[in-house]
Coordinates of all heavy atoms in Angstrom, one line a residue:
D217 N 0.8 -1.2 0.0 CA 0.0 0.0 0.0 C 0.8 1.3 0.0 O 0.3 2.4 0.0 CB -0.9 0.0 1.2 CG -1.9 -1.1 1.2 OD1 -2.4 -1.4 0.1 OD2 -2.2 -1.6 2.3
L218 N 2.2 1.1 0.0 CA 3.1 2.2 0.1 C 2.7 3.1 1.3 O 2.8 4.4 1.1 CB 3.1 3.0 -1.2 CG 3.6 2.2 -2.4 CD1 3.6 3.1 -3.7 CD2 4.9 1.5 -2.2
Y219 N 2.4 2.5 2.4 CA 2.0 3.3 3.6 C 3.0 3.0 4.7 O 3.5 4.0 5.3 CB 0.6 2.9 4.0 CG 0.1 3.7 5.2 CD1 -0.2 5.0 5.0 CD2 0.0 3.1 6.5 CE1 -0.7 5.7 6.1 CE2 -0.5 3.8 7.5 CZ -0.8 5.1 7.4 OH -1.2 5.9 8.5
H220 N 3.4 1.8 4.9 CA 4.4 1.4 5.9 C 5.7 1.0 5.3 O 5.7 0.5 4.2 CB 3.9 0.2 6.8 CG 2.7 0.6 7.6 ND1 2.7 1.4 8.7 CD2 1.4 0.1 7.5 CE1 1.5 1.5 9.2 NE2 0.7 0.7 8.5
G221 N 6.8 1.3 6.0 CA 8.1 1.0 5.6 C 9.0 0.6 6.7 O 8.7 0.9 7.9
R222 N 10.1 0.0 6.4 CA 11.1 -0.4 7.4 C 12.5 -0.3 6.8 O 12.7 -0.5 5.7 CB 10.8 -1.8 7.9 CG 11.7 -2.3 9.0 CD 11.4 -3.7 9.4 NE 10.0 -3.8 9.9 CZ 9.1 -4.5 9.3 NH1 9.3 -5.3 8.3 NH2 7.8 -4.6 9.8
S223 N 13.4 0.2 7.7 CA 14.8 0.3 7.3 C 15.7 -0.3 8.3 O 15.5 -0.1 9.5 CB 15.2 1.7 7.0 OG 16.6 1.8 6.7
H224 N 16.7 -1.1 7.9 CA 17.6 -1.7 8.8 C 19.0 -1.8 8.2 O 19.1 -1.8 6.9 CB 17.1 -3.1 9.2 CG 17.7 -3.7 10.4 ND1 18.9 -4.3 10.5 CD2 17.2 -3.7 11.7 CE1 19.1 -4.7 11.7 NE2 18.1 -4.4 12.5
S225 N 20.0 -2.0 9.0 CA 21.3 -2.2 8.4 C 21.4 -3.5 7.7 O 20.7 -4.5 8.2 CB 22.4 -2.1 9.5 OG 22.2 -3.1 10.5
C226 N 22.1 -3.6 6.6 CA 22.3 -4.9 5.9 C 23.6 -5.0 5.3 O 24.3 -4.0 5.1 CB 21.1 -5.1 4.9 SG 21.4 -4.2 3.3
K227 N 24.0 -6.3 4.9 CA 25.3 -6.5 4.4 C 25.5 -6.0 3.0 O 26.6 -5.8 2.5 CB 25.6 -8.0 4.5 CG 25.7 -8.6 5.9 CD 26.0 -10.0 5.9 CE 26.2 -10.6 7.3 NZ 26.5 -12.0 7.4
T228 N 24.4 -6.0 2.2 CA 24.6 -5.6 0.8 C 25.2 -4.2 0.6 O 26.0 -4.0 -0.3 CB 23.2 -5.7 0.1 OG1 22.6 -6.9 0.4 CG2 23.3 -5.5 -1.4
F229 N 24.7 -3.3 1.5 CA 25.2 -1.9 1.3 C 25.9 -1.4 2.5 O 26.4 -0.3 2.5 CB 23.9 -1.0 1.0 CG 23.1 -1.4 -0.2 CD1 21.9 -2.0 0.0 CD2 23.6 -1.2 -1.4 CE1 21.2 -2.4 -1.1 CE2 22.9 -1.6 -2.6 CZ 21.7 -2.2 -2.4
G230 N 26.0 -2.1 3.6 CA 26.7 -1.7 4.8 C 26.1 -0.4 5.3 O 26.9 0.4 5.9
N231 N 24.8 -0.3 5.2 CA 24.2 1.0 5.7 C 23.7 0.9 7.1 O 23.6 -0.2 7.7 CB 23.0 1.2 4.8 CG 21.9 0.1 4.9 OD1 22.1 -1.0 4.4 ND2 20.8 0.4 5.6
H232 N 23.5 2.1 7.7 CA 22.7 2.1 8.9 C 21.3 2.4 8.6 O 20.9 2.5 7.4 CB 23.3 3.2 9.9 CG 23.3 4.6 9.3 ND1 22.2 5.3 9.0 CD2 24.4 5.4 9.0 CE1 22.5 6.5 8.5 NE2 23.8 6.6 8.5
T233 N 20.4 2.5 9.6 CA 19.0 2.8 9.3 C 18.9 4.1 8.6 O 19.4 5.1 9.0 CB 18.2 2.8 10.7 OG1 18.4 1.6 11.4 CG2 16.8 3.1 10.4
L234 N 18.2 4.1 7.5 CA 18.0 5.3 6.6 C 17.1 6.3 7.3 O 17.3 7.5 7.1 CB 17.5 4.9 5.2 CG 18.4 3.8 4.5 CD1 17.7 3.5 3.2 CD2 19.8 4.3 4.3
S235 N 16.0 5.8 7.9 CA 15.1 6.7 8.5 C 15.4 7.0 10.0 O 16.4 6.3 10.5 CB 13.7 6.1 8.5 OG 13.7 4.7 8.9
K236 N 14.7 7.9 10.6 CA 15.0 8.2 12.0 C 14.7 7.0 12.9 O 15.4 6.7 13.9 CB 14.2 9.4 12.5 CG 14.5 9.8 13.9 CD 13.6 11.1 14.2 CE 14.0 12.3 13.4 NZ 13.3 13.5 13.9
Q237 N 13.6 6.2 12.5 CA 13.2 5.0 13.2 C 13.2 3.8 12.3 O 12.9 4.0 11.1 CB 11.9 5.2 13.9 CG 11.8 6.4 14.9 CD 10.4 6.6 15.4 OE1 9.9 5.7 16.1 NE2 9.8 7.7 15.2
E238 N 13.4 2.6 12.7 CA 13.4 1.5 11.9 C 12.0 1.3 11.1 O 12.0 1.1 9.9 CB 13.7 0.2 12.6 CG 15.1 0.1 13.1 CD 15.5 -1.3 13.7 OE1 14.6 -2.1 13.7 OE2 16.6 -1.4 14.2
D239 N 10.9 1.5 11.8 CA 9.6 1.4 11.2 C 9.1 2.9 11.0 O 9.2 3.7 11.9 CB 8.6 0.7 12.1 CG 9.0 -0.8 12.2 OD1 8.8 -1.5 11.2 OD2 9.4 -1.2 13.3
F240 N 8.6 3.1 9.8 CA 8.2 4.5 9.5 C 6.9 4.5 8.7 O 6.6 3.5 8.1 CB 9.3 5.3 8.8 CG 9.7 4.6 7.5 CD1 9.1 4.9 6.3 CD2 10.8 3.8 7.4 CE1 9.5 4.3 5.1 CE2 11.2 3.2 6.2 CZ 10.6 3.5 5.1

């Protein structure tokens, strides 16, 4: 629904959480 999202660190990109909170 492009309403809920989630961001987490992962090995593919070595990123930290992109948003302020993991669930947004």
Side-chain angles (χ1 to χ4, degrees):
D217 295 324
L218 299 181
Y219 183 72
H220 294 291
R222 182 177 301 116
S223 178
H224 199 277
S225 60
C226 80
K227 294 182 178 180
T228 310
F229 303 106
N231 61 288
H232 59 65
T233 302
L234 304 177
S235 48
K236 185 180 292 186
Q237 304 177 59
E238 289 186 4
D239 292 290
F240 59 87

